[in-house]
Amino acid sequence: MLARERHPKLPRAVEYAHIGWDFFILAAVIANLALLLFDSLFLLGWFEQLVQRASPGFHGFYDAEIHSRFFAIDLVFVTIFVIDVLLGWTAAIIERRYHRWFFYPFIHWYDVLGCIPLAGFRWLRALRVLSLVHRLHRLGLIDVRNWSSFRFVMKYYDILLEELSDRIALRLMGNVQQQILAADSLTERLVDRVIMPRKSELIKEISQRLESTVGKAYQQNRQEIMTSIDALITRTLLETPEIQRLNRLPMGETASSAMQAALSGVAQRLVDELALGIHSPEFRQMIERTADSGFDSWLTVDDTSAHVTEQVLYDILEMLKEQVRRQRWRDRYE
């Protein structure tokens, strides 16, 4: 059976049944660990003598009934914990709690290892309290985010995680910088493997951006452009000797003004047509042909361009390293 999807919310009765079972297992864990601790101390001579002097009857009962059969008693607890793992695994499959049915023993590794009757693994059973706290928090019966201990742990966990990730990032970027400085023909390989396979897409993007930029700039500044054209034509006509002689003739100023208006209108219409022509397929093809013809020469690599490219990449990584070195957790917690 493959668990594909977890139920969004279990019935509260089922959740409370899980909580009740978790409390039972937690009580068994506490009893088992307490018994383990007491029996470990009982092996010490001074502690055994202390118990014998304090209560000879309890000492005799414990030594004869519990200490001598401690392994068998611990196996009873181990059986309970094994049953707990099997029941939890079955419930996880039925509830589709995880993406795959075999994920349970890996996620609840502490419960699985806690079933091993060895001293080093028995103490993992205490981690069962984490699953209980998580379930109570999910049901809203407790809010661990308000616990000072939780905030303390999360604070230093956040600091530790950030410091570790920063150290790893710095090491990786430092290695990349060394590779950039040590690599031969890095720029040539960058052009051949990254830029040239995308040549047509880059040329198309350049032409589209140029078309959009010029068209938008013209629309936003059309009035200023037309005013400048009109002023330029007026100034040019006034400074032309032929127009000056025309103005001295009868009706010359009227003819000059008409000529000025006509030339200004023609020039403005020409600029409008050019602006509209930017959006035409012919203009786009011309830009693409121009960019294509100059693309190869623009990407020609020599010693100077290779050094500049490598230095730019190196400086970018150095800037990123400076940003990573900043301990942002200080801004959050200080």
Side-chain angles (χ1 to χ4, degrees), residues 143-157 333:
D143 190 353
V144 298
R145 293 171 296 184
N146 295 329
W147 295 1
S148 58
S149 57
F150 176 80
R151 291 196 297 268
F152 176 83
V153 171
M154 290 307 299
K155 172 184 175 180
Y156 288 99
Y157 172 77
Y333 298 115

Side-chain angles (χ1 to χ4, degrees), residues 1 42 71 82 85 92 98-99 104 111-112 121 127 153 172 191 200 205 209 243 249 278 284 286 301-302 315 330:
M1 174 181 178
F42 195 80
F71 186 74
V82 170
V85 170
Y98 305 114
H99 187 63
Y104 182 88
D111 287 338
V112 176
F121 293 112
L127 295 178
V153 171
L172 289 175
V191 171
S200 59
E205 182 67 18
R209 286 180 179 271
I243 299 300
L249 297 175
I278 290 175
R284 187 176 304 169
M286 182 190 69
V301 178
D302 53 22
D315 292 341
R330 293 184 181 273

